[in-house]
Amino acid sequence: MNGVTTPPQKTPPLAMVIFGASGDLTSRKILPALANLADHGRLSENFQVIGVARTEWSDEDFQKAALVDVPNAGSEWRRLVSNFRYVSGEYAASSTFDQLKGLLGEADSKHGTGGNRLYYLATIPSVFALVADALAKEGCNVPGEGGDFCRLVVEKPYGHDLSTALDLDAAVHRAFDEDQIFRIDHYMGKETVQNVLALRFANAIFEPIWNRRYVENIQITVAESIGVEHRGGFYETAGALRDIVQNHVMQVLALTLMESPTGMDADHIRDEKVKLLRAVDIPTPDEAVDKSVRGQYLAGVVDQQPVVGYRQEDGVDPHSETETFVALRLRVENWRWAGVPIYIRTGKRLPARVTEVALTFQGVPFLAFEGELARQLRPNALILRIQPNEGVSLHFGAKIPGEAFRVQSVAMDFEYNSAFADTGMDGYPRLLHDAMNGDATLFIRTDEVEQAWRIVDPYLQAWSEPGGGLHFYNAGTWGPHIADLLLERSGDAWRVPDLSKS
Ligand code: NDP
Ligand code: BG6
């Protein structure tokens, strides 16, 4: 086991303002991520959090919540929490921002936050523009006295479709410059998503076969066994295409298929991602219907437990047409990928939580092992397991021991957890740390958001027309049967993920 440990890089002094401080994301992700950074020595001692939301909390109530949300927190988190402040107010009210300005001044004078600001829009998307605008009006879109930076972290979803995303972007840009804006996609914080870059560009052996000459098809699967949990109301406004494909899947797709960047800094990597996304073919409305499947789960059994159907979930319309499953067949029109089908599927209440990218390679030009001898031989495949049991598997043919020359497919496995002692900072801690340090590499640039919406928009439009049907599947299955046809037409089949790894 290798274990290269690097000393923690501390963030600069700063005041962090959380809009949505009483909400679910703050409680489940942001506060635990901050506690993780604090207790690993990665936060500056001069760090202050100011929460802003409508709930009528005192500072002490917010501080209590920050301790309840992180039950096993260490001493540094407890020390920092005792300074947390809270503003109870409506984002549409200027009094909210007056109070906030007072507390930011106090953070600098009392806690040495040095005029540096990180605003986090962890609130409902319909008020993103309102908050950005109010911050600008109050002069809070620039660093405080002596400060070096003032940044805005924006949660997903960034827009509801291409046109609303462009409107939101215009509003946010009226208040903040692009280099101040950090659009979050938590998939980019996953070590194994970043490992796609290492695998492709730190190794010489993959590049020659990473193209249309050798790759038969590519499949990206983001499967979840959970349903919509307590987020039925939100999910009704989103659906699987907006919730997962427009952001997480597009990011994984771009990293898997893009050209090599000439440097590992934010713009070199994002330039290549954008170039790739631009090359994704945009279907006509008829093609969009033909190349997509949308599904919704019925009651079923997941992890041996009976579960209700989507329409019976809390906060969901009993006649809802929202999709909880999507399968797409995409094309990337460039020299590297022309003609290679790219299959995407994501869904809730599937049999397991598995995110993987599978490259299936073309068969050998001539197979000397005929019939029975090669019955168990499948084409070569390279599987990038994003989660769980993060790693990489290479599937190839091997001789079955014995007299007959029979061959079957076997897998060569790399597992992150057994190779590295320290699997590093993952997800929200990593992304928050990067935003505080001003590293935008793992954040989504304005043109990436636009391109990702450009790709999914035709499906949204096609599905809203008569004929853009919804197909049902039982919870605990791999989605509607019709999703198989999307591949069978080209002689392909969905890969069955190895559930022993999930
Ligand atoms: P919640 O509904 O739980 O929280 C919303 C927060 O915003 C609350 O603190 C609420 O305050 C505050 N708020 C809303 N409107 C106003 C207003 N007009 N004035 C003042 N405060 C307001 O949402 P989530 O935490 O679930 O989601 C927040 C963001 O994070 C969303 O963009 C979501 O898409 C994103 N996200 C959430 C995930 C999750 O697992 N929850 C996962 C990935 C992204 P109050 O309740 O006090 O009125
Ligand atoms: C979020 C979606 O962005 O990602 C959720 O809103 C989904 O619906 C979640 O469950 C999946 O994230 P992860 O890290 O568990 O794969």
Side-chain angles (χ1 to χ4, degrees):
M1 187 182 277
N2 303 318
V4 184
T5 29
T6 41
Q9 187 199 353
K10 272 197 192 292
T11 64
L14 73 117
M16 174 169 171
V17 179
I18 305 177
F19 292 97
S22 62
D24 181 69
L25 186 77
T26 301
S27 157
R28 289 195 308 114
K29 300 287 183 190
I30 300 176
L31 294 172
L34 290 175
N36 172 310
L37 294 177
D39 290 333
H40 284 87
R42 290 184 167 114
L43 281 186
S44 163
E45 289 76 20
N46 302 108
F47 175 75
Q48 164 83 330
V49 171
I50 304 168
V52 190
R54 282 174 304 208
T55 299
E56 290 188 7
W57 273 351
S58 62
D59 292 339
E60 289 73 26
D61 292 329
F62 183 42
Q63 292 166 10
K64 256 188 234 152
L67 295 179
V68 170
D69 291 335
V70 191
N72 301 317
S75 54
E76 179 58 4
W77 179 242
R78 292 172 183 282
R79 184 188 74 78
L80 289 173
V81 167
S82 64
N83 296 328
F84 282 13
R85 305 297 302 272
Y86 182 81
V87 177
S88 165
E90 191 19 89
Y91 300 146
S94 60
S95 56
T96 305
F97 291 86
D98 291 342
Q99 285 183 68
L100 175 61
K101 269 170 82 171
L103 290 182
L104 284 170
E106 189 187 291
D108 290 342
S109 60
K110 240 173 116 178
H111 300 294
T113 49
N116 294 326
R117 312 280 184 251
L118 186 79
Y119 301 108
Y120 195 134
L121 297 185
T123 179
I124 52 172
S126 56
V127 299
F128 286 174
L130 173 77
V131 176
D133 187 47
L135 287 169
K137 274 201 189 107
E138 297 293 331
C140 293
N141 55 347
V142 290
E145 205 184 321
D148 294 322
F149 62 86
C150 173
R151 302 186 184 122
L152 183 75
V153 178
V154 189
E155 260 302 333
K156 62 168 278 239
Y158 201 83
H160 192 66
D161 51 23
L162 178 59
S163 134
T164 51
L166 293 176
D167 289 348
L168 171 62
D169 219 32
V172 173
H173 277 136
R174 280 196 289 276
F176 290 85
D177 295 333
E178 179 61 22
D179 63 1
Q180 295 179 283
I181 304 168
F182 288 65
R183 298 176 194 80
I184 258 194
D185 181 319
H186 79 278
Y187 260 57
M188 289 299 288
K190 292 182 192 281
E191 276 286 337
T192 36
V193 171
Q194 295 162 47
N195 193 42
V196 174
L197 292 178
L199 183 96
R200 293 195 54 203
F201 303 126
N203 297 293
I205 58 169
F206 298 115
E207 168 57 23
I209 55 169
W210 210 268
N211 57 49
R212 62 191 299 273
R213 262 175 244 118
Y214 294 91
V215 177
E216 180 77 36
N217 72 67
I218 296 178
Q219 298 187 17
I220 299 178
T221 299
V222 178
E224 295 187 272
S225 55
I226 56 169
V228 287
E229 300 189 295
H230 52 286
R231 296 172 70 216
F234 156 75
Y235 203 83
E236 278 286 90
T237 66
L241 190 74
R242 292 187 175 94
D243 190 38
I244 300 281
V245 178
Q246 187 275 338
N247 36 73
H248 308 326
V249 171
M250 286 301 141
Q251 289 300 313
V252 173
L253 175 97
L255 292 175
T256 307
L257 303 185
M258 72 187 207
E259 297 301 313
S260 163
T262 49
M264 290 302 282
D265 57 279
D267 276 333
H268 280 111
I269 291 180
R270 297 189 299 181
D271 286 349
E272 294 305 332
K273 283 199 284 173
V274 169
K275 256 166 61 190
L276 187 283
L277 293 173
R278 274 187 211 283
V280 175
D281 181 53
I282 301 301
T284 63
D286 284 349
E287 284 170 345
V289 171
D290 191 46
K291 291 177 176 175
S292 68
V293 171
R294 58 194 304 258
Q296 189 188 81
Y297 62 82
L298 300 168
V301 176
V302 177
D303 293 332
Q304 284 140 32
Q305 299 296 321
V307 297
V308 298
Y310 177 69
R311 290 179 177 178
Q312 286 79 53
E313 300 274 14
D314 279 351
V316 171
D317 176 352
H319 305 288
S320 174
E321 293 282 307
T322 304
E323 82 284 352
T324 60
F325 174 96
V326 176
L328 301 181
R329 182 193 161 115
L330 301 179
R331 285 200 321 249
V332 173
E333 300 291 18
N334 64 16
W335 272 50
R336 189 186 281 273
W337 296 116
V340 178
I342 318 287
Y343 301 115
I344 282 168
R345 69 178 155 171
T346 182
K348 293 206 182 272
R349 288 289 189 221
L350 300 188
R353 177 174 186 250
V354 184
T355 298
E356 65 168 38
V357 179
L359 287 89
T360 301
F361 293 90
Q362 291 169 14
V364 293
F366 167 72
L367 193 62
F369 312 94
E370 280 174 6
E372 199 44 32
L373 297 180
R375 204 163 49 84
Q376 298 179 62
L377 190 63
R378 283 170 294 161
N380 294 130
L382 186 72
I383 317 298
L384 316 181
R385 286 193 308 277
I386 309 280
Q387 64 189 17
N389 194 16
E390 295 77 359
V392 179
S393 303
L394 179 63
H395 294 240
F396 57 92
K399 180 178 175 302
I400 303 174
E403 282 173 33
F405 211 103
R406 288 192 297 138
V407 283
Q408 78 168 53
S409 293
V410 293
M412 196 156 70
D413 244 350
F414 155 73
E415 288 187 359
Y416 240 73
N417 285 339
S418 30
F420 297 105
D422 177 3
T423 46
M425 254 192 306
D426 222 358
Y428 275 89
R430 168 67 198 262
L431 294 172
L432 276 170
H433 193 255
D434 282 4
M436 291 174 189
N437 284 305
D439 183 350
T441 310
L442 301 178
F443 293 84
I444 316 305
R445 207 170 58 186
T446 176
D447 44 359
E448 287 179 78
V449 180
E450 183 178 339
Q451 288 307 318
W453 277 119
R454 187 189 67 92
I455 294 166
V456 302
D457 233 31
Y459 300 96
L460 292 172
Q461 281 169 23
W463 294 345
S464 66
E465 303 290 327
L470 185 67
H471 301 272
F472 294 92
Y473 60 101
N474 291 322
T477 66
W478 284 104
H481 288 306
I482 194 167
D484 297 344
L485 296 181
L486 209 56
L487 283 71
E488 281 169 14
R489 281 186 242 152
S490 320
D492 295 327
W494 291 109
R495 214 190 84 79
V496 180
D498 178 359
L499 297 189
S500 66
K501 308 248 174 246
S502 58

